[in-house]
Amino acid sequence: MKFSTAAATFAVLVSGATAFTVASTGSSAASVAGSSIQRDAIRTAKSTTQLNEKMAEELGTPCEDECAMDSYPNMPPSVHPGVVTGQAMVDLLNHAKENGYAIPAVNCVSSSGINACLEAARKNDAPVIIQFSSGGSQFYGGKGLDNNNYQAAIAGAISGAFHVRTMAEQYGVPVILHTDHCAKKLLPWIDGLLAASERYYEKHGEPLFSSHMIDLSEEPIEENIDICKDYLARMSKVGILLEMELGITGGEEDGVDNTDVPLEDLYSKPEEIYQVYKELSPISDMFTVAAAFGNVHGVYSPGNVKLEPKILSRAQEYISEKLGDDAPADKKPVSFVFHGGSGSDLTDIRESLGYGVIKMNIDTDTQWSYWEGIKNFESKYHDYLQTQIGNPEGPDKPNKKYYDPRECMRSAETVTVDRLEQSFGDLRCQKILGLGEMGEATNVLESSVFGPRKGGLPV
């Protein structure tokens, strides 16, 4: 399946100093080209409106080099630096599917983690997906904030979204802004984020978030599909993509423990995947399926997790047969998501790319890499981190430059960037944009531990 925007026709209406986008209902089978708002047209209208205005332009922040680009040498013209939604996101995901790569989707809980993802994406000349879980969103808002009615999780995710929108342009990379697993009890969290996107859409002509995941895999399949249909209808009106889960991802993550689920629930059936495809497609084709093929959250000893990527291949074949002449030329009608990517065998990852996987989730490995950076820093400078004053160089020597949190956090970011380079490579998601190598940052305050302060900017 190639994505197209859910509403077949978009009309940009400009009147005086205001503009807004109206979506008219149409066939979800409309072609990508025919259903798109071309970015050039939007930018032409921008002289009298803030519709799809760059974040840097809206805030008045500097925007140079990659940030100032409207498109990339090797990408569809709609794909641009910053958060991509609607048609630009559609074109990016189609490009991944057509060219045999998947985009790393990294769970983030802080601005530091987000910045590491953006740095890694630019260093790998590639797009990236930044995503928040409900627990991660709550942490982003602050654990001291009351979370009744998920207010902290809603506020935290929105805060993170604006950070991503501000900084993604500066790093010059396209970002899909996503939220991860949302079980039935967490739907009020997604409702709050959708309301925020709808308000953002009214002012900017695009949603705040690119996509959301609804995970009702623990519910009966009929209920799972019915609720997803309702959300897809709502989301498609503003160009948000839906990711739905079919079958259960094992292991434990973010407070959800599926370590003891029956083995058969870890593997989706082609008939179930077709049922999802058949019922969601008439509403919109802006959806992906996180089908289970033995996926497990976390990292386990070799042999304890048995992935069966061929489940995805069999599903594509089964659905293509059902579609007959309406099947796409590549015989991959479904766009799949690979959950539980951390610790997975490279052979399984690469095999899944050939079956229509366009996104792979990474959380456990980047949690470890972030901690490993802190751990390594503490180990190296242990004797300088025990007191404010006094170290091996003398009892009166101050240790401020060692316990400055920026030092250990930067170490964490650096190790995470290195770990993500492996993920980009595993997913064949390198040298995608055509920007070339990332240049060295200049006029940066140097670390007082790793380098001299002389000539640096003031803190």
Side-chain angles (χ1 to χ4, degrees):
M1 174 183 70
K2 269 196 175 184
F3 296 105
S4 63
T5 48
T9 307
F10 283 84
V12 180
L13 307 180
V14 182
S15 174
T18 62
F20 56 94
T21 302
V22 178
S24 63
T25 304
S27 168
S28 62
S31 68
V32 169
S35 64
S36 67
I37 305 178
Q38 294 299 327
R39 186 168 174 82
D40 289 345
I42 292 171
R43 295 188 69 80
T44 299
K46 192 179 64 180
S47 59
T48 56
T49 178
Q50 291 186 348
L51 180 64
N52 274 18
E53 188 176 39
K54 280 182 180 287
M55 199 72 177
E57 292 168 343
E58 183 175 349
L59 299 176
T61 53
C63 185
E64 301 174 356
D65 302 322
E66 291 95 331
C67 174
M69 298 176 67
D70 287 333
S71 60
Y72 299 99
N74 297 345
M75 298 296 290
S78 63
V79 180
H80 56 86
V83 172
V84 292
T85 64
Q87 191 61 46
M89 172 184 56
V90 164
D91 291 345
L92 173 55
L93 294 175
N94 284 339
H95 187 270
K97 195 172 186 181
E98 292 164 1
N99 290 276
Y101 67 91
I103 304 173
V106 189
N107 285 63
C108 294
V109 299
S110 69
S111 59
S112 174
I114 290 170
N115 293 347
C117 291
L118 295 173
E119 182 179 346
R122 180 59 190 90
K123 284 193 170 182
N124 287 276
D125 191 16
V128 70
I129 299 172
I130 291 176
Q131 58 190 29
F132 305 120
S133 66
S134 60
S137 298
Q138 181 187 358
F139 185 85
Y140 203 101
K143 295 291 281 188
L145 186 62
D146 189 271
N147 198 37
N148 282 335
N149 300 317
Y150 300 102
Q151 63 192 53
I154 293 169
I158 292 171
S159 175
F162 277 99
H163 180 85
V164 174
R165 280 190 166 275
T166 302
M167 298 310 301
E169 289 179 356
Q170 297 297 323
Y171 281 87
V173 294
V175 175
I176 293 176
L177 184 55
H178 181 68
T179 58
D180 204 7
H181 295 268
C182 175
K184 189 175 180 179
K185 67 180 181 179
L186 295 174
L187 288 175
W189 170 55
I190 290 296
D191 290 337
L193 301 184
L194 284 176
S197 272
E198 288 162 345
R199 289 191 295 273
Y200 193 87
Y201 180 90
E202 290 175 0
K203 295 182 179 180
H204 300 274
E206 67 171 343
L208 181 61
F209 289 86
S210 309
S211 55
H212 295 294
M213 181 186 185
I214 306 292
D215 178 5
L216 304 176
S217 55
E218 294 184 340
E219 313 303 327
I221 186 170
E222 291 78 12
E223 182 179 5
N224 183 351
I225 294 174
D226 285 345
I227 293 176
C228 283
K229 286 167 65 176
D230 290 340
Y231 274 93
L232 181 59
R234 179 181 179 184
M235 292 161 65
S236 65
K237 292 177 182 177
V238 293
I240 296 176
L241 180 140
L242 168 70
E243 177 185 325
M244 68 89 65
E245 178 152 351
L246 190 62
I248 292 175
T249 302
E252 190 276 333
E253 183 177 66
D254 208 37
V256 178
D257 190 348
N258 290 328
T259 53
D260 296 323
V261 298
L263 186 63
E264 61 268 19
D265 290 344
L266 300 180
Y267 300 93
S268 299
K269 300 176 179 62
E271 296 83 0
E272 295 172 333
I273 300 172
Y274 174 59
Q275 185 179 352
V276 170
Y277 181 88
K278 181 174 65 174
E279 297 208 33
L280 294 188
S281 292
I283 301 170
S284 168
D285 57 6
M286 285 185 68
F287 67 89
T288 57
V289 180
F293 56 101
N295 316 66
V296 174
H297 288 136
V299 174
Y300 299 86
S301 299
N304 286 352
V305 177
K306 184 170 179 57
L307 294 178
E308 295 286 353
K310 284 186 172 56
I311 286 175
L312 306 182
S313 177
R314 289 195 289 269
Q316 300 282 31
E317 293 170 1
Y318 181 85
I319 297 172
S320 293
E321 289 177 3
K322 291 289 186 180
L323 294 176
D325 293 340
D326 293 329
D330 63 2
K331 304 299 181 184
K332 298 174 188 175
V334 181
S335 293
F336 286 118
V337 174
F338 187 147
H339 276 241
S342 293
S344 295
D345 186 83
L346 180 59
T347 302
D348 291 328
I349 293 173
R350 291 285 174 81
E351 183 180 357
S352 73
L353 299 182
Y355 303 148
V357 167
I358 57 172
K359 169 181 182 273
M360 188 178 84
N361 286 11
I362 304 161
D363 187 14
T364 304
D365 281 345
T366 47
Q367 286 179 339
W368 173 257
S369 66
Y370 199 92
W371 161 245
E372 185 177 28
I374 294 173
K375 179 174 68 74
N376 292 348
F377 181 86
E378 194 283 333
S379 178
K380 184 174 182 178
Y381 298 106
H382 176 83
D383 292 342
Y384 295 83
L385 296 168
Q386 304 309 304
T387 59
Q388 285 187 291
I389 299 174
N391 60 47
E393 298 175 20
D396 296 325
K397 294 289 186 180
N399 295 317
K400 176 174 168 45
K401 65 182 181 180
Y402 295 96
Y403 62 75
D404 183 330
R406 290 173 294 182
E407 300 291 351
C408 65
M409 288 174 68
R410 182 54 187 163
S411 178
E413 291 171 3
T414 301
V415 176
T416 298
V417 169
D418 291 342
R419 176 59 185 84
L420 283 174
E421 182 175 6
Q422 177 186 331
S423 296
F424 279 98
D426 290 349
L427 295 171
R428 296 197 173 104
C429 189
Q430 292 175 313
K431 299 181 179 178
I432 300 296
L433 305 176
L435 294 176
E437 294 186 4
M438 183 181 185
E440 289 292 327
T442 59
N443 203 22
V444 177
L445 176 63
E446 295 188 50
S447 165
S448 56
V449 173
F450 299 115
R453 285 186 181 271
K454 185 176 181 180
L457 293 171
V459 177

